[in-house]
Amino acid sequence: MNPKKQLLLIEDERNICNFIMTTLKSNDYKVSYALNAQTGLSLAASQCPDLILLDLGLPDMDGIDVIKKIRSWSNLPIIVISARTQEKEKVEALDAGADDYITKPFGTSELMARIRTALRRTASGSGSQSPQNRYTAGSLVIDYEKHIITIDGEIVHFTQIEYKILTFLSQNAGRVITYDSLISHVWGPFADSNNRILRVNMANIRRKLENNPADPHYIFTEIGIGYRMIDNENQ
Ligand code: CA
């Protein structure tokens, strides 16, 4: 049995805090909490948790600034918990370095799935394991070494741009990737690219990838925010 993962919850609403604490403990996580940003930041520094769950609306500091402060010294996964439904704030949080977000009210199983995905990212990125050389989901296989993508064992041809998009999304499978971060990864940070070109490429990818592009199975659109690719079954 692996040692229990240490989680830190920064949330100012006691009811929600209690609910999440109970849920996490019953799922075998160790968890500490802070009711404001200052306490949260000092606990983050002293405990070095495996993951932080962060409410964006805190009494003493904007959650976006909390993310930036943590990112100035640590790469540990941060999942934003927010009552805010505005897409702009979710994008802001992701671009500031959050790994994922979950909107209140949320279900227990959704929260647990997001935590597992975020923890897996650090486990595979820590260098203790060899990097994944393939992605598998359903009948789709991406072989990063051979640069080959197959569906049901048949090679499917993608343009270089499409391959770059697929590689980036699949290597971040389970996480939402914002339009901007995808564009700057594929076309470079100074590229004069935009969402329209990305959408055209995504439409082409889906036509090759999905049985029914209108009801995607592999790559999901998070409207106004970005894309999320289905989890890698190899992990
Ligand atoms: Ca709050």
Side-chain angles (χ1 to χ4, degrees), residues 24-81:
L24 294 176
K25 283 178 183 165
S26 70
N27 280 272
D28 230 23
Y29 290 108
K30 280 199 291 187
V31 51
S32 51
Y33 72 96
L35 294 168
N36 59 59
Q38 285 303 343
T39 314
L41 284 168
S42 67
L43 282 179
S46 62
Q47 297 184 332
C48 290
D50 295 297
L51 180 144
I52 291 178
L53 292 165
L54 173 70
D55 177 27
L56 279 188
L58 294 168
D60 54 338
M61 195 188 287
D62 192 299
I64 303 289
D65 293 326
V66 177
I67 297 170
K68 289 178 183 163
K69 278 190 185 291
I70 293 169
R71 278 292 169 265
S72 69
W73 59 271
S74 174
N75 190 34
L76 70 92
I78 301 171
I79 300 177
V80 160
I81 301 174

Side-chain angles (χ1 to χ4, degrees), residues 11-13 55-59 104:
E11 163 69 75
D12 63 320
E13 282 167 75
D55 177 27
L56 279 188
L58 294 168
K104 298 173 193 170

Side-chain angles (χ1 to χ4, degrees), residues 36-183:
N36 59 59
Q38 285 303 343
T39 314
L41 284 168
S42 67
L43 282 179
S46 62
Q47 297 184 332
C48 290
D50 295 297
L51 180 144
I52 291 178
L53 292 165
L54 173 70
D55 177 27
L56 279 188
L58 294 168
D60 54 338
M61 195 188 287
D62 192 299
I64 303 289
D65 293 326
V66 177
I67 297 170
K68 289 178 183 163
K69 278 190 185 291
I70 293 169
R71 278 292 169 265
S72 69
W73 59 271
S74 174
N75 190 34
L76 70 92
I78 301 171
I79 300 177
V80 160
I81 301 174
S82 178
R84 308 177 196 185
T85 49
Q86 281 94 345
E87 291 148 3
K88 194 174 145 282
E89 268 137 355
K90 292 174 183 169
V91 171
E92 230 183 310
L94 292 167
D95 285 341
D99 289 80
D100 207 347
Y101 64 84
I102 187 161
T103 307
K104 298 173 193 170
F106 50 81
T108 305
S109 54
E110 189 187 1
L111 176 64
M112 290 307 128
R114 298 294 170 80
I115 290 173
R116 280 194 304 273
T117 299
L119 286 173
R120 211 161 44 221
R121 173 183 72 77
T122 39
S124 59
S126 65
S128 58
Q129 298 172 350
S130 58
Q132 290 282 335
N133 55 17
R134 65 168 43 197
Y135 166 94
T136 309
S139 51
L140 169 67
V141 177
I142 304 176
D143 187 322
Y144 301 123
E145 276 174 11
K146 295 181 184 160
H147 282 246
I148 287 174
I149 299 179
T150 57
I151 298 172
D152 287 323
E154 299 278 327
I155 292 177
V156 182
H157 293 285
F158 290 88
T159 67
Q160 206 164 339
I161 292 290
E162 291 164 2
Y163 182 80
K164 264 184 148 176
I165 292 171
L166 272 170
T167 305
F168 191 56
L169 288 176
S170 61
Q171 286 173 339
N172 290 283
R175 301 172 62 200
V176 61
I177 300 296
T178 64
Y179 298 123
D180 278 358
S181 62
L182 187 53
I183 287 168

